[in-house]
Structure formats: C-alpha cells, structure tokens
Amino acid sequence: MTGRGPGTPDVKAVGLLAGGAAVVAAASALFTKAPDAPEVAPEVFPERAVVRGIAEAPDGVLCTDGLLDTDDGCAALSDIKAIGQALLADTALPSQPVTLVHPTDFSAEPRTVDGCDTYAELKRQDWSALSSADMAQEALFYRACGLIILAQEAVETPAAPRLDRAQMVDIDRSTLPTFGEARFGPNDPITQETESPAVWSITNEALLCKMAYLGTADFNGDGVPDHLVEWRLAAREGSFRQVGFGLIEKPRGQAARFSEINPFTM
C-alpha cells in the first residue's frame, strides 16, 4: 500500500507535503543543517546508546530512536499492540494540543488534538495543521501515532531475515522517494551511516535521502515480510524536506524495492 496525496490544493494546503508524509515546517526542523553540509548525517538521526542494536533485534520487535519508552528504544509488537500510546516516551508527542483544520470546508470548526486516537481519526479525513507552529508539532503526531498504527496492524513473520547491506546496496533506485523531476539514478551510492540505529543514506547532486530501519514484519497484509523504515528526503538546493514511513521488500529473483506506506490511509 502507498500513501495518498492531501487532496485538492487550497490555502490551507500550502506548506503540506505531497504524499501525506508530514509537513514542510516539521521536516525542516528535523533537518537542522543544509543537506550538503558535512554535519547533516548525525543531525538527521542522532545516535543514542542502546542495549540492543536495531540490526540485531529479534523477530516481532520494533526499534526507534526517541519514541518508545523502553531502555533500548525497542519494544515487541505484542506490547505495542496491547499498550498503544501509553508505551510512547514522554517527548514523543507534543506537550500542548495541536490545532487541525478541515481540508476543504472552511466553515468547519478547527479541532484540537492531544492524543493518537483523535489524530488518527482526523488524519484519515485529511485534516491538517495550518500554522507553522502546529505543522511542526503535527509531525510529532504523525511519527509517533503512525508507528503505533503500523505496529498494531503488523503480523509477525518468524525467522524473517533482517534488512541487510546487500538488499540496501542493490535496491531499485527508481522506487525511492522523488521530488518533482529530481530522482535517484541506478548508480547513486547507498552507504550505511550507523549500525545502531541502522541508518542508510542515498545521495546524488539533487537529493539526499536517509532511511532508518525500524523492524521486520508483514506490515501491508500480503503475507510477505517487509522491512519498515522511517525515511527523510531533502533537496540539496532549497528548503524542500519530506518525511514518512516506507517498506523495503525483495520479490524473489528481483532487486529490493521501496514503497511508501501511510499509516492513516491503510
């Protein structure tokens, strides 16, 4: 499954990202340096000490930096399904409610959001933030609540192999995120930035994409193991930033490929 766009553009859609991934202001905050600056890699995915590395996480476990309230940032799918939002770290969600507006009906009263249930309900109807401040805060809801939804819908795939270097290096570049006419070419280099958390970067003269590996399970209901990643895309010139979740799959006899997954339109 892939995410869908935010609908017919209007004044409230200015600043929203195509594909429903998140909001420009929030994504810009996540990329605190220009994408061609040497410091961008550690800025995008700050390393943290973990007891169990993401690459070595056992079956049925998701690991993510700063979202889950566990010692190592990892939690079993069964625990996430059972506990839900209560398993999120204190800083995973905004400390103040966020205001969302209807995508097309200007007469509709804005809604305030302070939890994942309300956010998911409104996001499925394409409600979104309007102010720059709320856009930045909404990205926290998208990331944290989206992870909970993906975990709750996932089916464990025992003994499924982890995401490895061979799959990432050989991934079909034509399936990776794009920005307008800018896209990745078949020979653009893919490198592993860190092992724990497992973060990969894909770059060329126009784009920089980071992918953090979260875990492996069947996330789209097709019975085949998927590698869940959190991805962030930046144009090397300009302020464009985009964030979201994606799946990496390897069909038999083919190169691995990426597809976007929107937790709120599954």
Side-chain angles (χ1 to χ4, degrees), residues 197-258:
V199 179
W200 303 82
S201 67
I202 307 97
T203 186
N204 61 20
E205 293 182 354
L207 299 172
L208 168 66
C209 185
K210 299 277 184 175
M211 291 191 178
Y213 173 46
L214 305 183
T216 299
D218 177 11
F219 292 98
N220 57 11
D222 64 359
V224 178
D226 314 299
H227 304 302
L228 179 66
V229 296
E230 181 184 0
W231 60 273
R232 304 180 186 183
L233 181 70
R236 286 198 171 277
E237 295 185 6
S239 59
F240 171 81
R241 304 289 187 271
Q242 190 170 359
V243 301
F245 293 102
L247 302 179
I248 295 177
E249 303 171 278
K250 191 181 187 311
R252 181 171 298 180
Q254 302 178 40
R257 63 190 183 194
F258 167 91

Side-chain angles (χ1 to χ4, degrees), residues 5 21 24 37 52 57 61 71 81 83 109 131 137 155 199 201 213 226 249 253 260:
V24 168
R52 181 174 59 226
V61 169
D71 291 338
K81 292 173 187 285
I83 302 173
E109 288 292 326
S131 72
Q137 297 302 299
V155 176
V199 179
S201 67
Y213 173 46
D226 314 299
E249 303 171 278
E260 184 182 350

Side-chain angles (χ1 to χ4, degrees), residues 74-88:
C74 301
L77 286 173
S78 57
D79 289 340
I80 302 176
K81 292 173 187 285
I83 302 173
Q85 181 179 326
L87 192 57
L88 293 174

Side-chain angles (χ1 to χ4, degrees), residues 5 11 15 42 48 51 54 82 97 111 120 144 151 170 176 181 192 198 257 259:
V11 66
R48 63 195 293 260
V51 176
I54 288 179
R111 296 278 301 274
D170 295 333
L176 296 173
E181 295 183 357
Q192 186 167 8
R257 63 190 183 194
S259 61

Side-chain angles (χ1 to χ4, degrees), residues 57-185:
D59 294 326
V61 169
L62 288 186
C63 298
T64 180
D65 182 51
L67 290 188
L68 299 175
D69 187 19
T70 60
D71 291 338
D72 57 3
C74 301
L77 286 173
S78 57
D79 289 340
I80 302 176
K81 292 173 187 285
I83 302 173
Q85 181 179 326
L87 192 57
L88 293 174
D90 292 339
T91 57
L93 295 178
S95 58
Q96 300 294 326
V98 173
T99 300
L100 301 185
V101 294
H102 193 279
T104 57
D105 184 359
F106 294 105
S107 65
E109 288 292 326
R111 296 278 301 274
T112 56
V113 175
D114 58 5
C116 285
D117 289 344
T118 302
Y119 180 72
E121 172 194 348
L122 295 177
K123 204 60 185 172
R124 290 186 179 106
Q125 303 172 48
D126 277 341
W127 288 61
S128 57
L130 179 59
S131 72
S132 296
D134 279 335
M135 285 179 183
Q137 297 302 299
E138 187 196 342
L140 299 179
F141 275 109
Y142 188 96
R143 186 178 182 224
C145 302
L147 181 75
I148 295 297
I149 291 174
L150 288 168
Q152 290 175 335
E153 296 296 325
V155 176
E156 293 186 30
T157 52
R162 309 293 90 192
L163 180 62
D164 60 27
R165 180 182 182 278
Q167 292 176 6
M168 286 299 299
V169 170
D170 295 333
I171 197 169
D172 182 350
R173 274 46 163 198
S174 69
T175 65
L176 296 173
T178 61
F179 170 48
E181 295 183 357
R183 60 194 62 244
F184 291 102

